[in-house]
Amino acid sequence: MVRSLGVAVVGFGWMGRVHTQAYQRIAHHFPQVAVRPELVMVAEEVPGRAQEAAEQFGFASTTRDWREVAADPRVRAVSITAPNFLHREIGVAMAEAGKHIWIEKPVGLTAEDAGAVADAVAKNGLQATVGFNYRNAPAVAYARELIASGEIGTVTHVRIRLFSDYAAHPEGALTWRYERDRGGSGVLGDLASHGVDLARFLLGNITSLTADTAVFIPERARPTGATAGHARATGGELGPVENEDYVNCLLRFASGARGVLEACRVSVGEQNNYGFEVHGTKGAVLWDFRRMGELGVSRGTTYQDQPVSTVYVGPGHGEYAAFQPGAASSMGYDDLKVIEAHAFLRSVAEGVPYGATLADAVHSALALDAMSRSAERGTWVDLP
């Protein structure tokens, strides 16, 4: 029997919209899930934005104060899509109010923040899912299967890249994303957090790392009004960019494998160039987010001059069958968030965690903190 689950969304920028749309699509793609989300409340402090969300998506009520969400008994689960610096306060408050949470990465500004949310959720016997959406791509799920089965032999090394141009324009507004107190570690939390999660999802735990970081656009203009996404600002007072535009990192894994992780938010000419190349003693798997439904696979026994074949994912790879009946039909970014929403709702319904968890968020945050320390000290840093 399907039962209703009252949900709320806190923070209605682009990601709040993505979460809301994912909830609405659950019945179409995962009709078997035992709970059906009901849009009870949306919280957004920007005047008028919550009302617009309610009119478009059908939320029963609106508020500018997220604390009203915590106090509302109709709300059983909450999407936390507010800016990073609010994740800890809101996450802990929602858990203490008995709400399950679907929270965006990096779950606060530090590993301490992520750990506080994880502790509150565990203490109150709740479920939580974290927005590491790239692991949900069916090709990534298939790559993990091939690696775990030994199809490419023993993994020797991996390269993970996350290059984007969303902050490349020098007129990009000086929003919270560029402030240390509100945006945390810049591209580390925004993109490298995904890279760490992919690394662990594919290869297991990271034991140590060394990193270098840089700020390439040191000043930006302050916006004069409310912003969403990556708006531009001209003529405003200039302020300093306090956190990182770029990071590169060498990784060592518990398995003995080595890795390189590189992320940049100001890469002119690169639009969402995210992906990985995993090499083993007998082969390799290669993935590019921009060709999300394809996986490059090299396997066999020839070693030298061994070709790479393109596998078009289809039913049987990850959650592909919930969207398309045959291989090579395209999926998109929003589909990955529907898969994530399903993992969250299934966790709530069954009382067992599915998908990326707060433990994954804590591990990612520990690696990000280690990157910051390594860049400051110029040394290798061990991870707990």
Side-chain angles (χ1 to χ4, degrees):
M1 178 179 177
V2 176
R3 64 183 188 272
S4 178
L5 181 75
V7 302
V9 176
V10 175
F12 207 81
W14 167 64
M15 189 52 67
R17 181 178 297 269
V18 172
H19 276 228
T20 302
Q21 292 170 165
Y23 284 132
Q24 293 188 323
R25 293 176 59 192
I26 282 292
H28 302 287
H29 298 285
F30 297 99
Q32 73 278 13
V33 70
V35 295
R36 192 64 49 82
E38 176 188 352
L39 300 179
V40 171
M41 182 178 286
V42 57
E44 171 55 62
E45 66 177 5
V46 176
R49 192 177 284 173
Q51 287 76 13
E52 291 174 5
E55 291 171 5
Q56 182 173 3
F57 295 104
F59 287 96
S61 54
T62 67
T63 180
R64 290 182 63 184
D65 186 351
W66 59 263
R67 294 168 185 82
E68 292 187 20
V69 173
D72 195 322
R74 298 173 301 165
V75 177
R76 296 275 315 286
V78 181
S79 278
I80 301 174
T81 55
N84 298 349
F85 67 96
L86 295 172
H87 285 187
R88 177 175 181 164
E89 181 182 10
I90 297 174
V92 170
M94 294 302 170
E96 290 178 345
K99 321 292 187 187
H100 304 285
I101 62 172
W102 176 14
I103 187 168
E104 278 304 312
K105 37 59 64 183
V107 190
L109 305 182
T110 64
E112 182 182 354
D113 287 350
V117 178
D119 290 344
V121 166
K123 179 181 178 181
N124 290 281
L126 301 166
Q127 297 296 321
T129 298
V130 180
F132 289 125
N133 44 267
Y134 297 109
R135 63 157 63 190
N136 299 326
V140 175
Y142 184 43
R144 190 186 194 209
E145 290 180 15
L146 292 175
I147 293 167
S149 68
E151 283 290 314
I152 67 169
T154 300
V155 173
T156 53
H157 60 101
V158 60
R159 184 170 74 95
I160 299 172
R161 68 187 185 282
L162 299 109
F163 298 146
S164 186
D165 64 355
Y166 67 79
H169 203 292
E171 294 179 359
L174 187 68
T175 64
W176 61 268
R177 291 183 181 276
Y178 304 101
E179 299 174 0
R180 182 71 64 183
D181 289 344
R182 298 198 296 165
S185 55
V187 76
L188 276 69
D190 198 19
L191 293 181
S193 58
H194 282 297
V196 172
D197 184 66
L198 283 173
R200 291 186 64 252
F201 184 69
L202 294 170
L203 305 184
N205 284 337
I206 299 165
T207 58
S208 61
L209 58 80
T210 185
D212 185 32
T213 63
V215 177
F216 295 132
I217 301 179
E219 289 186 321
R220 296 180 182 271
R222 301 185 188 279
T224 56
T227 62
H230 305 288
R232 295 185 191 174
T234 56
E237 179 187 357
L238 290 178
V241 172
E242 298 174 350
N243 54 27
E244 298 84 351
D245 287 331
Y246 171 84
V247 60
N248 67 61
C249 186
L250 299 180
L251 307 170
R252 291 174 179 164
F253 293 85
S255 66
R258 298 297 193 262
V260 177
L261 189 158
E262 191 176 15
C264 186
R265 64 188 180 187
V266 297
S267 297
V268 175
E270 301 282 11
Q271 297 85 41
N272 298 326
N273 181 0
Y274 309 151
F276 56 76
E277 299 93 42
V278 181
H279 294 268
T281 54
K282 296 195 300 183
V285 289
L286 323 169
W287 182 68
D288 186 330
F289 168 66
R290 298 166 301 176
R291 304 175 71 92
M292 192 168 73
E294 302 176 15
L295 184 69
V297 180
S298 177
R299 53 185 166 179
T301 58
T302 60
Y303 301 99
Q304 282 186 298
D305 301 323
Q306 185 165 285
V308 176
S309 299
T310 299
V311 175
Y312 296 98
V313 296
H317 297 137
E319 297 287 1
Y320 183 94
F323 298 86
Q324 301 294 344
S329 291
S330 299
M331 290 177 62
Y333 177 91
D334 286 13
D335 295 328
L336 304 184
K337 302 305 279 190
V338 176
I339 294 171
E340 201 168 274
H342 173 244
F344 176 49
L345 296 173
R346 188 180 177 193
S347 298
V348 172
E350 300 179 20
V352 177
Y354 291 96
T357 67
L358 283 168
D360 295 311
V362 171
H363 280 291
S364 177
L366 286 168
L368 300 182
D369 287 357
M371 289 180 197
S372 295
R373 293 198 305 274
S374 174
E376 180 180 346
R377 300 172 185 174
T379 61
W380 282 87
V381 175
D382 293 333
L383 272 67

